[in-house]
Amino acid sequence: MSNAKPDVRYQNMPQSVVLISTGHLTARTAQFLRDHDAADWPSPGGHFGDMGWFFWVDEGAGDNVPHLPHDLLSAFDYAVAQGASFVIYQDVSPVVPQLPTYSKSGVFEADVFLNRTKKTIDDLDDDAAVAAQESLSLDIGFIATAAHIAARMQAVIDDIAAHASNGQISALPYHRLQQLSDLATIYHFHARRKAKGFDSGASVTEGLAARIDLILVDRDLAGLARHGRTREVLENVQYRLRLSVKISAG
């Protein structure tokens, strides 16, 4: 936990809530929160207005949610230091000196995002691969080889299959879906670049895609919230895997 001191600007606010700028969120976290239902978030919370989010502060989040994004964890530590139970992110809220910011202006501006220069599909895939690599690299056991990534994908897919067969998709940890998506993104990235080892594993890759076919038969995955999110991730992963197979065969 950090040693952040209470900000004097908040001394007249109810001690149960702190308001901070969305600039204290990385672009990746902000986009995830914006694009997904609160049921899919790694920690309890919800949308707050058009461009804001709130979270219940979990003092033990660092231990209870090992894969909680570091930007959220820093804010939780800061809120706990002030005796707060909730943290609210808003574009119009102040930048807190004790927390890192992730944009020059200190806020995640919707207009800048919407009016950005449009990128090609390959450019977007490259950006996604960079973000995935950064996330996966936090695990000291991660190795960017075809065999290692395929084995990790197999383990996650097996985990998802077990949850689905037991009717427990809602209990599937958020980070497992994100991890699978990151692994497939990295695999596809290296396959496109004909990296060593990624051009000879077509049978393994197709086997993983076929395994996903079996999971997608589950009617429960046609639902909303966590069920719908699981299907969305699996279909995207399957698409990347089969695209990698075509690239290897080309």
Side-chain angles (χ1 to χ4, degrees):
M1 183 176 296
S2 69
N3 295 318
K5 302 297 183 182
D7 193 319
V8 294
R9 290 178 296 179
Y10 296 128
Q11 60 186 356
N12 294 322
M13 291 180 56
Q15 285 300 297
S16 60
V17 179
V18 292
L19 304 175
I20 62 176
S21 168
T22 52
H24 296 303
L25 292 170
T26 63
R28 191 183 199 199
T29 298
Q31 184 169 348
F32 179 87
L33 297 178
R34 197 172 53 244
D35 294 345
H36 296 89
D37 294 335
D40 293 327
W41 292 3
S43 189
H47 294 270
F48 188 80
D50 294 333
M51 277 300 294
W53 305 279
F54 73 90
F55 285 91
W56 172 70
V57 175
D58 184 351
E59 185 172 358
D63 297 322
N64 300 332
V65 190
H67 291 265
L68 185 71
H70 62 86
D71 46 352
L72 290 181
L73 183 57
S74 294
F76 287 2
D77 285 349
Y78 172 76
V80 168
Q82 298 190 85
S85 302
F86 295 90
V87 58
I88 296 176
Y89 291 92
Q90 293 184 111
D91 282 354
V92 297
S93 293
V95 172
V96 177
Q98 291 92 330
L99 294 174
T101 56
Y102 301 95
S103 64
K104 293 181 180 179
S105 62
V107 296
F108 188 84
E109 298 179 8
D111 290 343
V112 173
F113 179 80
L114 294 174
N115 296 324
R116 70 196 185 284
T117 301
K118 301 302 185 289
K119 297 183 177 181
T120 66
I121 293 177
D122 284 348
D123 287 339
L124 292 173
D125 278 346
D126 289 347
D127 289 347
V130 170
Q133 180 71 43
E134 290 178 351
S135 178
L136 292 170
S137 294
L138 295 176
D139 181 349
I140 59 176
F142 175 71
I143 306 173
T145 63
H148 179 80
I149 294 174
R152 292 282 289 268
M153 283 193 287
Q154 180 67 66
V156 179
I157 291 171
D158 286 346
D159 189 16
I160 294 173
H163 278 80
S165 63
N166 293 325
Q168 296 180 336
I169 282 295
S170 295
L172 179 70
Y174 149 81
H175 74 269
R176 296 297 273 168
L177 287 176
Q178 184 64 64
Q179 185 181 60
L180 179 60
S181 180
D182 286 343
L183 289 165
T185 297
I186 289 291
Y187 195 96
H188 177 231
F189 172 82
H190 287 299
R192 283 197 296 122
R193 280 161 174 68
K194 303 291 184 178
K196 183 179 180 180
F198 289 84
D199 57 354
S200 60
S203 60
V204 174
T205 308
E206 178 55 43
L208 293 174
R211 178 81 168 119
I212 291 176
D213 273 330
L214 297 177
I215 300 174
L216 291 175
V217 173
D218 191 331
R219 293 182 179 179
D220 287 343
L221 294 183
L224 301 175
R226 182 59 60 86
H227 294 75
R229 169 61 176 158
T230 300
R231 171 172 286 277
E232 176 187 336
V233 170
L234 288 174
E235 289 177 341
N236 181 266
V237 167
Q238 188 179 60
Y239 168 77
R240 289 184 181 277
L241 291 177
R242 287 194 163 139
L243 201 57
S244 297
V245 171
K246 290 183 179 179
I247 291 173
S248 298

